[in-house]
Amino acid sequence: MDNRDKAVLQAGDSLYLASLVSPNGAYALQHRRDGTLALRDTRAACDIWQIGRPLPVPGLLRLLPDGLLVLEGPQGIPVWSSGGVDRRVTTASVRDDGRLVLTDPDGCVRWSRDPLSVADLAAYRPARDDRLRRGEVLADALVSPDGRYRLTHSPAGETLLQTPSLSADGDRRVWSRKAGQPGASISLGPDGVLRAGTDSTVLQRWSGRYLLDPMAFAVSAVVVRDEGDMVLLREDGTEIYNSGTAPEEARLAEIERDRALRKATEAAKPVRPYGSGMATDWFNLLDLCPPCTITWVERIEERDALLRLGAGSSTIRAMTYAQIHSAAYSESGEPVTCALAVAVGGWVMLIEPSGIEGVERARDMSERTQTITYHLGFDGEQVFAWYRDKEPVAVYQEDDSDLLDSGAPALEGNAPKAMVPFMRQIGLNVYRQSAGDFLPPPVEIGCLIAGIAPRPEHFAGRHLGAVFSAL
């Protein structure tokens, strides 16, 4: 077995009772007869760190093809290994400053073990307040001055910048990076180098820039700012690295403020008086879930309404609503286009439990009559439109939800205020929304425009329906 000293250990090679020696000869990584591995300062004639325990038979140090540097005991049993698998690693060497490094073909350091002893790291002070200073370790959280952002390093080796969330999911993750092996603490050395344990690749991993030489950047402090940024500063206060999360945090904060304002405004509204709306029993019977569409068509027969919706003549037959609802969801989970036509007063209501045909065809369906259509999408988006003889009266598109919810005029249509009187009739945006107690406002407004009051018996029994295509 080759036991000559080396300057570089190539992937697939091993070191047996020999040393990896730095170019200047000041440091040697020694594999010893007792099976231990030690970094020795040859000038001071002392060991800086040592791995393993004495064994009767030495194993060897091997750089595996998958990038792991492994100290093996007898029978190849691993005693110690470097950081996680990194297939970019091709060499191991000891540098003139005493760092044991694993490098890729470009010469970039992928892992390091710096010449620090356990005693060196134990002497570091715990960081406090909003910053990690030189000679300190990130023991607890760094907290921004306003208390909104916290930087921690988990036992699993993940650095996390978090902020409290208004949802029930706990803290929201703002920024995160993996750095160091599990259990290693983040510290900032007196030399200005960020480390996870003895691994000095933290700056590279946090920034994602492996071409950086961490020894070329003397970090003065790691700071968590009120705006949601985590920054690394030089002595003169200029930034070495910025997480760049503040703009997104500002955007999210604006959304949270708007949400809180809407919630407070909604809570301040009076509750809509019980019994002031239409009966909901018929609508509850439909058991509609997004995506679904209801279309009202005036003065036509049920068959004509289905044909205008796009159903082929051969697909139209007498069906119950239960059959339509069951057909709306195929065994594969893919929605199916189907509809039931129900005559109520002088109108036909087309119910699509999983369809969008009504909202897409409503304009053409209104030829020589009028249509009203309401669509609720998967993500809560709404389309509410009124057409007469193929001309738009008032149309609220998906992006107009705020206008629709507040009872404001539509942005499209020949009479954009046409629905406003009906919105006022139900007190839209005057009363607090009471889910379940009243019909969805567009459904109630559609019935008011049509002048009809559906009842459960309208939907009982068999009606003309169609199951006519898969979406």
Side-chain angles (χ1 to χ4, degrees):
M1 187 175 292
D2 184 4
N3 62 350
R4 292 174 298 177
D5 290 348
K6 300 179 180 180
V8 176
L9 194 64
Q10 301 289 341
D13 289 348
S14 59
L15 191 71
Y16 174 72
L17 301 181
S19 300
L20 269 181
V21 183
S22 65
N24 63 3
Y27 297 93
L29 181 68
Q30 299 177 342
H31 180 243
R32 295 175 174 170
R33 290 192 176 277
D34 62 0
T36 61
L37 187 69
L39 180 69
R40 188 164 182 81
D41 184 335
T42 59
R43 294 174 181 174
C46 66
D47 293 344
I48 297 175
W49 53 258
Q50 188 171 5
I51 291 171
R53 56 184 177 83
L55 298 170
V57 179
L60 50 79
L61 180 70
R62 190 191 305 273
L63 181 59
L64 301 179
D66 61 9
L68 276 174
L69 184 65
V70 180
L71 176 63
E72 298 178 355
Q75 291 83 46
I77 299 173
V79 174
W80 167 87
S81 67
S82 61
V85 169
D86 188 340
R87 298 189 184 278
R88 287 278 295 164
V89 169
T90 56
T91 60
S93 61
V94 176
R95 296 200 166 175
D96 286 342
D97 56 6
R99 298 167 69 207
L100 169 62
V101 298
L102 303 183
T103 53
D104 62 24
D106 300 319
C108 299
V109 176
R110 310 290 295 191
W111 177 87
S112 74
R113 185 182 177 106
D114 286 10
L116 296 174
S117 66
V118 174
D120 291 331
L121 294 173
Y124 285 10
R125 306 176 305 276
R128 64 187 187 280
D129 303 327
D130 65 337
R131 63 193 60 211
L132 173 69
R133 302 169 180 84
R134 290 182 183 176
E136 293 184 342
V137 63
L138 184 58
D140 295 316
L142 299 184
V143 182
S144 62
D146 64 2
R148 292 175 55 209
Y149 297 94
R150 302 170 69 252
L151 184 73
T152 59
H153 190 70
S154 74
E158 186 174 22
T159 312
L160 297 165
L161 181 64
Q162 296 172 291
T163 189
S165 172
L166 294 182
S167 70
D169 299 330
D171 288 348
R172 176 172 57 80
R173 181 176 303 203
V174 175
W175 173 94
S176 67
R177 294 290 187 275
K178 288 281 189 180
Q181 291 181 280
S185 298
I186 296 291
S187 64
L188 180 57
D191 55 1
V193 176
L194 270 172
R195 295 182 175 90
T198 60
D199 182 343
S200 60
T201 61
V202 173
L203 175 59
Q204 295 158 295
R205 294 183 184 278
W206 280 7
S207 65
R209 297 163 60 192
Y210 277 91
L211 291 175
L212 289 179
D213 179 0
M215 298 302 166
F217 295 88
V219 179
S220 173
V222 178
V223 181
V224 179
R225 291 177 173 168
D226 288 342
E227 296 83 3
D229 274 333
M230 185 278 294
V231 297
L232 277 56
L233 301 177
R234 297 183 178 90
E235 285 282 5
D236 62 4
T238 58
E239 296 178 357
I240 296 172
Y241 172 73
N242 187 315
S243 64
T245 45
E248 177 65 8
E249 285 302 292
R251 186 185 74 84
L252 293 175
E254 182 65 26
I255 291 174
E256 293 287 0
R257 284 193 292 271
D258 288 347
R259 183 180 298 147
L261 178 60
R262 287 197 301 271
K263 186 176 180 180
T265 302
E266 187 69 19
K269 296 175 185 176
V271 176
R272 185 176 177 184
Y274 181 76
S276 63
M278 289 186 172
T280 61
D281 46 4
W282 68 272
F283 183 77
N284 295 335
L285 181 70
L286 300 181
D287 191 25
L288 295 174
C289 296
C292 60
T293 305
I294 299 177
T295 305
W296 296 257
V297 191
E298 188 182 26
R299 298 191 311 273
I300 63 173
E301 299 296 325
E302 292 95 323
R303 176 176 289 275
D304 188 15
L306 287 167
L307 291 172
R308 292 189 183 204
L309 192 67
S313 297
S314 62
T315 67
I316 300 174
R317 60 187 176 87
M319 304 176 70
T320 65
Y321 180 73
Q323 289 174 315
I324 284 289
H325 194 275
S326 176
Y329 305 97
S330 66
E331 293 182 0
S332 67
E334 294 296 324
V336 173
T337 301
C338 54
L340 192 73
V342 178
V344 182
W347 294 68
V348 171
M349 291 182 65
L350 292 164
I351 312 298
E352 298 178 72
S354 66
I356 59 174
E357 295 301 312
V359 74
E360 293 186 344
R361 296 173 179 264
R363 184 168 187 161
D364 289 337
M365 291 170 65
S366 69
E367 185 174 4
R368 297 188 303 277
T369 182
Q370 61 179 333
T371 60
I372 306 156
T373 188
Y374 171 61
H375 171 71
L376 179 64
F378 271 121
D379 298 322
E381 68 273 16
Q382 301 179 99
V383 177
F384 188 35
W386 183 1
Y387 298 98
R388 283 199 191 105
D389 198 15
K390 302 180 73 171
E391 291 294 328
V393 178
V395 179
Y396 295 85
Q397 301 286 6
E398 291 181 3
D399 295 335
D400 303 334
S401 291
D402 288 345
L403 296 176
L404 181 56
D405 293 340
S406 64
L411 294 180
E412 299 180 32
N414 299 327
K417 296 182 180 180
M419 292 187 183
V420 173
F422 301 99
M423 293 173 167
R424 290 175 179 167
Q425 185 175 338
I426 67 171
L428 189 61
N429 201 38
V430 173
Y431 297 115
R432 192 183 313 167
Q433 293 290 341
S434 302
D437 295 335
F438 298 92
L439 293 172
V443 174
E444 188 170 5
I445 291 167
C447 291
L448 288 173
I449 294 173
I452 59 175
R455 299 186 303 276
E457 51 265 33
H458 284 123
F459 301 89
R462 296 161 71 85
H463 302 267
L464 288 184
V467 180
F468 46 99
S469 72
L471 288 176

